[in-house]
Amino acid sequence: CIVFGIDKSGFAISITIYLIRRGEQKWELFSLEEFDVEKYSPSRNTPTLFDGVFYSVGYDGTLNKLNLSDDTFEFLEKPRELFNDSYPSFLVKCEEHLLLVKLGCPKMLVRIFRMDFSEMEWVKVESLGKHMLFISDITCFSAIAPNSRIENRVYFPRLYLDGEGILCYSLETGSYHSFGGTSQHSANNIYGTKGWLSNCTWIQPNWSKSTAQELDWLNSLT
């Protein structure tokens, strides 16, 4: 269980990471006050743990890399060369790939890229296959769709008007759709939707039945 805490008081930013493993009773703490984190922007910049390294991304595509194993904090400038705008970016771990969901205006154009770590460049993704992405300011994750009707889509914390469900974008159709409402809507823009719900999060359910041993946090399963 990892808690990534960002404290922005005035113009100063401090980062603290808390880590606890099953069977332990105390949190392990990593304080990053000694690092130069002045350029770190937490706004729509949720850290993503990928291959043991924390990554976050700026609106311009710049990657922040935080490696606790060797206590390094880097700003990777090269990936930003693809973008010249200031629209929101979100990182998502999708199996062995680190994906970037890039939003744009005026139609809230959705573009998806994967990081090519050999070249440190963003490569455009044309299809998610059976995967679907869930995006918000608080949490982002991927999942395998249970059926073909909801795969290859990006889901947003934005609602359709009159209770017609939430907003999602289909890479197959190149259009926006409603999901979960009484009617099905499709459009090439986000008109007819309301707000970006910045204080909401996605919860991924665990469909398996847990045993009494698994529910006991202090019981080590090694």
Side-chain angles (χ1 to χ4, degrees):
C1 180
I2 299 174
V3 177
F4 196 109
I6 303 171
D7 180 20
K8 187 175 183 181
S9 302
F11 295 101
I13 298 176
S14 63
I15 298 175
T16 306
I17 300 174
Y18 300 87
L19 172 67
I20 192 170
R21 299 173 180 84
R22 179 179 289 276
E24 297 178 346
Q25 300 188 48
K26 294 183 178 180
W27 291 85
E28 189 176 358
L29 183 149
F30 298 90
S31 178
L32 305 183
E33 294 179 354
E34 65 271 25
F35 293 115
D36 179 16
V37 294
E38 292 301 318
K39 296 181 181 179
Y40 188 91
S41 174
S43 178
R44 288 191 178 175
N45 206 358
T46 305
T48 299
L49 184 62
F50 182 80
D51 282 348
V53 177
F54 285 101
Y55 291 95
S56 56
V57 65
Y59 280 24
D60 60 0
T62 300
L63 273 180
N64 300 326
K65 178 183 178 182
L66 173 60
N67 193 336
L68 296 182
S69 63
D70 57 8
D71 294 334
T72 58
F73 188 77
E74 302 176 62
F75 299 95
L76 307 177
E77 296 286 346
K78 186 177 180 181
R80 70 182 294 180
E81 296 175 0
L82 181 64
F83 307 110
N84 59 1
D85 55 53
S86 59
Y87 298 123
S89 303
F90 299 88
L91 290 179
V92 190
K93 182 181 182 298
C94 185
E95 293 190 343
E96 73 276 13
H97 298 299
L98 181 64
L99 301 184
L100 172 73
V101 179
K102 184 72 172 173
L103 306 185
C105 289
K107 294 183 178 180
M108 196 178 170
L109 176 68
V110 179
R111 293 168 291 168
I112 300 178
F113 303 86
R114 65 170 177 83
M115 171 52 63
D116 180 352
F117 285 95
S118 64
E119 300 292 336
M120 291 307 301
E121 294 179 346
W122 294 113
V123 179
K124 191 171 183 180
V125 173
E126 301 293 344
S127 174
L128 296 171
K130 295 183 178 298
H131 285 86
M132 47 188 180
L133 306 182
F134 296 85
I135 304 301
S136 77
D137 293 340
I138 299 176
T139 191
C140 302
F141 67 86
S142 65
I144 296 177
N147 59 66
S148 59
R149 293 185 296 107
I150 58 176
E151 68 183 17
N152 201 22
R153 293 188 177 194
V154 183
Y155 294 82
F156 301 99
R158 192 179 184 100
L159 300 177
Y160 266 85
L161 300 178
D162 302 321
E164 293 301 329
I166 63 173
L167 177 72
C168 65
Y169 178 84
S170 170
L171 275 73
E172 180 180 0
T173 64
S175 302
Y176 295 94
H177 303 274
S178 63
F179 179 79
T182 56
S183 302
Q184 298 296 318
H185 297 274
S186 297
N188 60 0
N189 54 56
I190 61 172
Y191 301 124
T193 66
K194 60 178 180 180
W196 180 280
L197 305 180
S198 59
N199 292 325
C200 74
T201 188
W202 298 102
I203 297 176
Q204 189 172 14
N206 181 5
W207 300 109
S208 62
K209 186 176 181 180
S210 301
T211 65
Q213 184 185 32
E214 291 172 332
L215 293 175
D216 186 356
W217 174 262
L218 296 179
N219 183 12
S220 178
L221 297 181
T222 58

